[in-house]
Amino acid sequence: MNNTDTPRYLSTESNIELDPEGYLVDLSDWSETVAGQLADDEGIELTPEHWEIINLVRSFYARYEMAPAMRPLVKATQRSLGEEKGRSIYLMRLFPGSTAKVVARIAGLPKPTNCL
Amino acid sequence: MDYGLLVMGAPYSQPAPHSALRFAHAILARGHQLAGVFFYHDGVHNASSLMTPPQDELNIREAWKALHEQHGVPLDVCIAAALRRGVVSESEAARHGYTAFNLEAPFELTGLGQLLTLQQRCQRLITFAN
Amino acid sequence: MDKSEDLMVIIRHAPHNSNWLREGLDAALVAAAFGQSVRLLFMGQGALALCKEQQAGAPGQKATLPTIDMLEMYEIDQLNVPDQTLEELNIPLASLVNGVTPLSESQVKALFSQPRLIFNF
Amino acid sequence: MILHILTTAPLSDAARQAEQAINPGDALLLIEEAVSAALQPDLDCWKQTDYPVFLLEEDLVARGFANAASHHRLATVDIEGFVQLTEQYEQSITWY
């Protein structure tokens, strides 16, 4: 659970501050470039399939003011991208690890508070 | 029988923590198990190491701690409710760059999921709240 | 126990007065995120959480409505309010968000007459 | 069967909500502020016969209502009795 070795800045040349779990301190720092760097940090190379999910999660947050846990993330994906992609296995393959948290981080959202 | 307690009142503001402590000792006295106490809402203040009541009043944090030491009762504190209210463990303080913290073992910061687990594990979950 | 509905969360506190409402809804969301089937019963002041015209509060105080709208994404679609509450608060059903089912006195009692897990906020 | 635990005054919102939820065969336990019901023997909860109502003795004594409760012949339980009620009733709900 402790991640105190995470860098406090996104990269040496940027002044974009991260919290010790790697989430943006100031959510307005987010941009597509920043998303790419955050993804790098997770060992993920962003493809159009990743972007579909990132955009979906950002609009989820814009509407509901909360980052989705896994279950609603699957449901939201199902609704806008169809049954094929709206499955947790698909999302987990795109964003390995704690999928809901990883997506929220790359999409520049606060950490989902109800994750654990 | 296995009991769990959900405590959602703040010490010295509300009677809930006192009632809960009295009840905790009574269930143990009747030979039941206390599987855990979960602190939520204003109940998270029960965990504050910095509470300093006068010497002639019960220190509620110490009373919970004694319950843990004598009976091994886990004392879980909802992390989201605690952080909002400034009840912070050493590792959370480091994580947020704070110089102070006020939650120590045997209290543990944990997710709300722990409350659901406690509820499912116990035959009885009793809530104390005001 | 009826596995099709594992948990009932009772919400009895209004938006913007305390954190009971938010923390009560959080408990419901976490349970739903864990795969439990959740029913929400809004009693007394808690019914005000369903008013569809509500907005954000004092600076920095989040609105409740986005969370209420989000419930369906967590498969929480049982939103109940006692008739008695609507009468006492003088709020017409039409002023609440869609999808709220009002319950008669005996229907409310029936919710409590079968064994189920309950959280009361 | 549910043990309803009320912690607020008899005419509070929580008290009225508990009343909406309680079924015949349940029980009602009044603790903390709710024990002031001992001073009001005319309350509905003392007149109905659908479910037993108990007052928590320790809270009555602390508030100086123990004599009123015994004068009006109201049922009391001590803290051990509270535990026994939770043994007997599978579920409890606290109204606050």
Side-chain angles (χ1 to χ4, degrees), chain A residues 41-98:
Chain A
D41 201 38
E42 297 278 351
I44 297 172
E45 197 181 329
L46 295 182
T47 65
E49 284 73 31
H50 289 94
W51 277 106
E52 282 180 338
I53 306 300
I54 293 170
N55 290 329
L56 182 142
V57 164
R58 284 183 66 83
S59 60
F60 188 103
Y61 180 77
R63 174 153 181 215
Y64 303 122
E65 301 182 354
M66 219 184 269
M70 195 59 184
R71 193 176 177 190
L73 175 60
V74 170
K75 185 166 174 124
T77 310
Q78 215 170 57
R79 279 201 183 166
S80 52
L81 304 174
E83 293 287 334
E84 192 64 25
K85 294 182 174 176
R87 289 181 303 142
S88 50
I89 188 130
Y90 174 79
L91 296 166
M92 284 160 75
R93 209 180 298 132
L94 284 178
F95 300 95
S98 307

Side-chain angles (χ1 to χ4, degrees), chain C residues 20-47:
Chain C
W20 281 117
L21 171 63
R22 177 155 299 280
E23 293 185 333
L25 290 174
D26 275 353
L29 291 173
V30 169
F34 276 33
Q36 289 193 16
S37 159
V38 180
R39 174 191 292 270
L40 287 174
L41 174 63
F42 295 83
M43 298 179 94
Q45 296 283 310

